[in-house]
Structures are given as structure tokens and as C-alpha cells.
């Protein structure tokens, strides 16, 4: 089963620093089995620890991003070791320090929707449809959809999406701020790669820290989030050495073609 899961979750790593994970079970609309979810969790753990990987793109093969959990194997997923964080895809995505770009190429349903919401940036094709079927099939949400969606699009729209189980098309998703942009299907992966390359042009150390402060602060009340930003800024500058400031000045002035390397392991 592990070998099958590896075929159903494909990984490409490029010398540029971009890694692409593809859900590859197109005949089943990339419906997720327990083995696939475990493999995804393992991959995000692995890529987070690989220095050569800077940005991760997650997409699906065929006409779906993911139709959610494979309901023929639902018992194994819902009654499995749900408290094991190492095998929890969403938990490992949330822990991943690297930026994650979701390239949503079609149907994005329930568990697939929850995985998409865990990405840092979302690009959707014009064929994308976001659907929450928890209420329809009597599945209790456990990967954050009931809380994250309302924080992204507002509670009134989130209630409509989740309580009606009706699809949200790509254009509406963009209008509501659920996705960053919508492109033609043939342009989807190239657009995601272009965003990844733009991220790669920046200073890696600060990119990782910036993602962390945005995500950590978003979970807090606004006043506490501002306090957290101030604390981390003081910690960051207190740890900088004279050569770090010189490298920063060189980079700003354009005298260095590459961002300064971090002085400590993140």
C-alpha cells in the first residue's frame, strides 16, 4: 500500500529550489486514502528539512485538485490514529516553514478544501470549484474548515458555503478573497511557478520568518499579534552581527546578486 501511495502522491524537486507535489489519482478525482494522507504528511515533513527546497507547490492531476476523503475508505481515515500529528497532513502543512502554494485545478471538496485552506497562497484555474460537504454527508470537520473559512471570507459567507454544501466557483472565490488569482487551466502551474520564483528572489531567512509571523499572528487577537511582531523583531535585530547588517546593505544596494545566507539554522 505504501508503494501505491507513493505513485498516487508524486514529487518533483527542481534545482531552482521549487518542489511540486501532485495528487495523482485522477480516475478517482484524487480522492484521499489513509495511505495517501500519511504519505503527504511525510512529504511535508521531509521537504521542510531539505535545505535545497525553498518553496512547495501542491496541485492535482486531471480534472480535480481533490474530491476529499475516499468515502469507501472513510473508516480507516476517520477512526485511524487521528491524534498522531506525524501522520496528520494538515498538521504537517501548518508546521512546514517553507511557503506552500496551492494550484487548484478543478474540484476541491471537503478534505481537499481543508488542505487548500492550509496553503499560504492559492491560485485557481477557471474550472476550480470549492465545496464543503461536511453537513451533507454527516462528517464533522476536524481539519479547521469550520474556523478557517470564516476568517478568510467572513462568517456569513462561510455559513452559506458550509450549510448549503453548494459549490463556490473560481470567480466567486477570487471575489471573496478565498484565492489570490484565477487563470486559465493551461496557465495554472506556470502561474504558481512564477509566484514561487518571485519568492525565491528574496532573502530566504526573512521569507521564513515573515511567513511564521503572519501565520502565528493570524491566530491571535490583533493587539497580541502586534506585540508578538515587536518581540520577534527585537529578537531578530538583537541577534544580528555587524556582517549581517553589511550583507543587508549590500543586498539593498544591489551589490550582491544573492540574498545573504542566514547566520543560524532556522
Amino acid at each position: 500500500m505504501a508503494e501505491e501511495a507513493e505513485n498516487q502522491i508524486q514529487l518533483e524537486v527542481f534545482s531552482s529550489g521549487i518542489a511540486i507535489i501532485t495528487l495523482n489519482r485522477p480516475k478517482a478525482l484524487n480522492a484521499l486514502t489513509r495511505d495517501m494522507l500519511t504519505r503527504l504528511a511525510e512529504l511535508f515533513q521531509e521537504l521542510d528539512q531539505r535545505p535545497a527546497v525553498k518553496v512547495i507547490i501542491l496541485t492535482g492531476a486531471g480534472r480535480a485538485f481533490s474530491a476529499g476523503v475516499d468515502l469507501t475508505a472513510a473508516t480507516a481515515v476517520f477512526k485511524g490514529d487521528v491524534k498522531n500529528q506525524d501522520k496528520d497532513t494538515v498538521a504537517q502543512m501548518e508546521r512546514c516553514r517553507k511557503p506552500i502554494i496551492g494550484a487548484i485545478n478543478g474540484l476541491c471538496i471537503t478534505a481537499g478544501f481543508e488542505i487548500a485552506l492550509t496553503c499560504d497562497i492559492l491560485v485557481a484555474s477557471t474550472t476550480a470549484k470549492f465545496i464543503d460537504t461536511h453537513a451533507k454527508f454527516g462528517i464533522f470537520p476536524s481539519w479547521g474548515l469550520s474556523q478557517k473559512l470564516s476568517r478568510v471570507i467572513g462568517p456569513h459567507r462561510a455559513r452559506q458555503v458550509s450549510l448549503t454544501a453548494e459549490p463556490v466557483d473560481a470567480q466567486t472565490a477570487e471575489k471573496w478573497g478565498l484565492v489570490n488569482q484565477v487563470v486559465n487551466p493551461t496557465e495554472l502551474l506556470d502561474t504558481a511557478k512564477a509566484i514561487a520564483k518571485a519568492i525565491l528572489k528574496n532573502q530566504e531567512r526573512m521569507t521564513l520568518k515573515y511567513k511564521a509571523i503572519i501565520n502565528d499572528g493570524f491566530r491571535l487577537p490583533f493587539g497580541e499579534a502586534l506585540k508578538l511582531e515587536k518581540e520577534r523583531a527585537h529578537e531578530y535585530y538583537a541577534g544580528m552581527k555587524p556582517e549581517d547588517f553589511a550583507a543587508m546593505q549590500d543586498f539593498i544596494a544591489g551589490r550582491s546578486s544573492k540574498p545573504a545566507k542566514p547566520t543560524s539554522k532556522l
Side-chain angles (χ1 to χ4, degrees), residues 68-253:
V69 169
D70 186 338
L71 294 181
T72 64
T75 301
V77 174
F78 298 135
K79 291 195 174 183
D81 189 3
V82 294
K83 294 184 179 180
N84 187 339
Q85 298 286 290
D86 288 340
K87 295 182 179 180
D88 187 317
T89 299
V90 168
Q92 292 307 320
M93 290 177 70
E94 290 174 340
R95 292 177 180 180
C96 183
R97 299 166 303 158
K98 315 290 176 69
I100 303 171
I101 301 169
I104 312 302
N105 52 300
L107 294 171
C108 184
I109 303 174
T110 313
F113 198 166
E114 290 175 305
I115 288 172
L117 281 172
T118 314
C119 296
D120 299 300
I121 297 168
L122 286 179
V123 183
S125 79
T126 53
T127 62
K129 283 185 172 61
F130 298 85
I131 310 172
D132 179 7
T133 62
H134 283 104
K136 187 172 186 176
F137 296 117
I139 302 169
F140 203 96
S142 60
W143 272 354
L145 204 154
S146 68
Q147 303 305 308
K148 291 179 181 178
L149 187 61
S150 62
R151 286 162 170 78
V152 175
I153 66 174
H156 294 90
R157 286 170 173 161
R159 291 186 196 107
Q160 179 181 338
V161 171
S162 297
L163 301 183
T164 66
E166 292 181 343
V168 178
D169 62 33
Q171 291 72 25
T172 302
E174 184 179 34
K175 179 181 176 181
W176 286 357
L178 177 57
V179 302
N180 295 67
Q181 64 186 109
V182 176
V183 298
N184 290 327
T186 56
E187 300 171 355
L188 180 65
L189 206 52
D190 284 342
T191 301
K193 288 178 182 178
I195 294 171
K197 290 174 182 177
I199 292 172
L200 289 171
K201 292 178 182 178
N202 296 320
Q203 212 253 25
E204 181 184 0
R205 184 186 186 196
M206 181 50 65
T207 296
L208 300 184
K209 288 183 175 293
Y210 214 143
K211 168 181 166 167
I213 190 60
I214 291 172
N215 290 357
D216 294 344
F218 193 69
R219 299 185 181 100
L220 300 173
F222 184 64
E224 292 182 27
L226 289 176
K227 182 180 178 181
L228 180 67
E229 181 194 66
K230 188 73 70 177
E231 290 172 351
R232 291 193 185 177
H234 288 164
E235 180 183 347
Y236 178 78
Y237 289 117
M240 289 186 72
K241 299 176 182 178
E243 55 265 33
D244 296 324
F245 283 101
M248 180 191 296
Q249 291 165 349
D250 286 344
F251 185 65
I252 293 171

